[in-house]
Amino acid sequence: MTCQEFWDSMPELAPDGAPELGEHLRGCPACVAVLARQRQVAAGLRGLAAESRRVQAPARLEGRLMAAFRGEGGMTEIPLRARWWSPVAAWVAAAALITAAALLSLRSREAQPLPATAPQMAAVDWTFGLAIEDAGGGTEEGEFIALPNAEQLPPPAQVNMVRVELPRSAMISLGYDVKAEEAGEMVEADIVLGSDGLARAVRFLN
Amino acid sequence: MAEHDRESDDELLLRLHSGDEQAFAALYRRRQAAIYRYALNMSGSAAVAEDVLQEVFMVLIREGCGYDPERGALSAYLFGIARKLLLRHFERIRGNVPIDDEDAGSVMLELAVDGNQLSDLARSEGIAALRRAVQALPRRYREVVVLCDLEELDYADAAHALGCPVGTVRSRLHRARALLLEKMQGEAGPRRAGALNPIRCSI
Ligand SMILES: [Zn+2]
């Protein structure tokens, strides 16, 4: 059995000590090592599963459903809260959108290349409270806010700023108060994009 | 309560459809958490997860909910409904921001884990890194990890929930585990072709 055939048999999904796997492993320390790491991941997933067990649906939902069950006729009228937007997905989507645009060498009118060595970038603190001086000085633009994960990324050699539209609900994950009825509205935002294609910061307009 | 605990899902469903409120409550309490966590892990949004869970049980309340015990367990059927609702959610997102999910996953992968965290897996930091890595997986791989590894469905139930063959569940899980290992080792970690061999599977 070659290493390829060994991994094609998906040994990490087989029960420990499956006899057909032992034969290859006895002669192949490389696969032994990878399989051991795979087992570490599997053990980590069991730990994650155990930790996740604490997560339950909010208690209010049981009350709503019981009322629906009793009411029967009114059952179909329970409104969904219409907040169908994932903040995480919003940031990912925005970052990927920008990456795609960069790959295609498409640049919108608003995109402004900002070399990191330029004077206005001196004020940038990539690790906390990211702020970029605004050359335009528009009053309707808010401050730049570092995105979750930005602090774990290396400082980019060069950044670009791209204007995009996002649902207002995307602001929730950054600590803004957003009314439920406004969550679906689109807001304009400038996104700071590193030369590696990853979004670092955002500011919301108006 | 104890009496309900001993009843199977199918027995509870039968009584639920004859109007037994206690049976409904028992079935809800038994199944809510796993479906909620699945929706939460797939959407990244507590609000979406709550709405999905509500809709799943609204479907169940309705007469003729379409559940067929011959085809699989009730829990798998409930995950399947949740999945359809989530797909509708993803369609809406795509309407707002045109973006392929696989791209979204790969961008998140880049954001997910920094350095070699494999040796930390026995500690909470390592578990947290693994959680980020799972959340960053492309959707088709994330859902098998969530269903099989986190919610501990067997492959047959996962296949029923996903509407695909058992072999597809296994091959996706194989690929997902390889991606997780790669991320947990960090970009600098050695690439093992054997662990990362591409697999063929349909969408
Ligand atoms: Zn080998």
Side-chain angles (χ1 to χ4, degrees), chain B residues 20-98:
Chain B
D20 186 332
E21 192 178 311
Q22 293 301 314
F24 179 65
L27 193 57
Y28 175 79
R29 286 172 196 159
R30 187 182 291 175
R31 297 297 168 197
Q32 53 89 10
I35 294 162
Y36 179 76
R37 287 191 298 260
Y38 165 65
L40 185 62
N41 276 313
M42 294 310 294
S43 69
S45 160
V48 171
E50 189 176 338
D51 284 348
V52 164
L53 179 60
Q54 175 176 305
E55 262 310 284
V56 165
F57 276 86
M58 291 304 291
V59 168
L60 200 61
I61 291 172
R62 282 173 203 133
E63 207 57 48
C65 63
Y67 167 61
D68 177 1
E70 298 294 311
R71 295 179 55 212
L74 181 68
S75 60
Y77 170 76
L78 296 179
F79 280 114
I81 301 172
R83 182 171 187 266
K84 288 196 184 80
L85 293 165
L86 284 162
L87 288 176
R88 205 182 296 167
H89 162 63
F90 294 130
E91 286 300 318
R92 276 193 220 195
I93 287 183
R94 205 168 290 166
N96 287 335
V97 182

Side-chain angles (χ1 to χ4, degrees), chain A residues 1-4 6-7 24-25 27-32:
Chain A
M1 188 187 260
T2 65
C3 295
Q4 185 67 51
F6 175 74
W7 287 106
H24 179 78
L25 288 174
C28 185
C31 285
V32 168

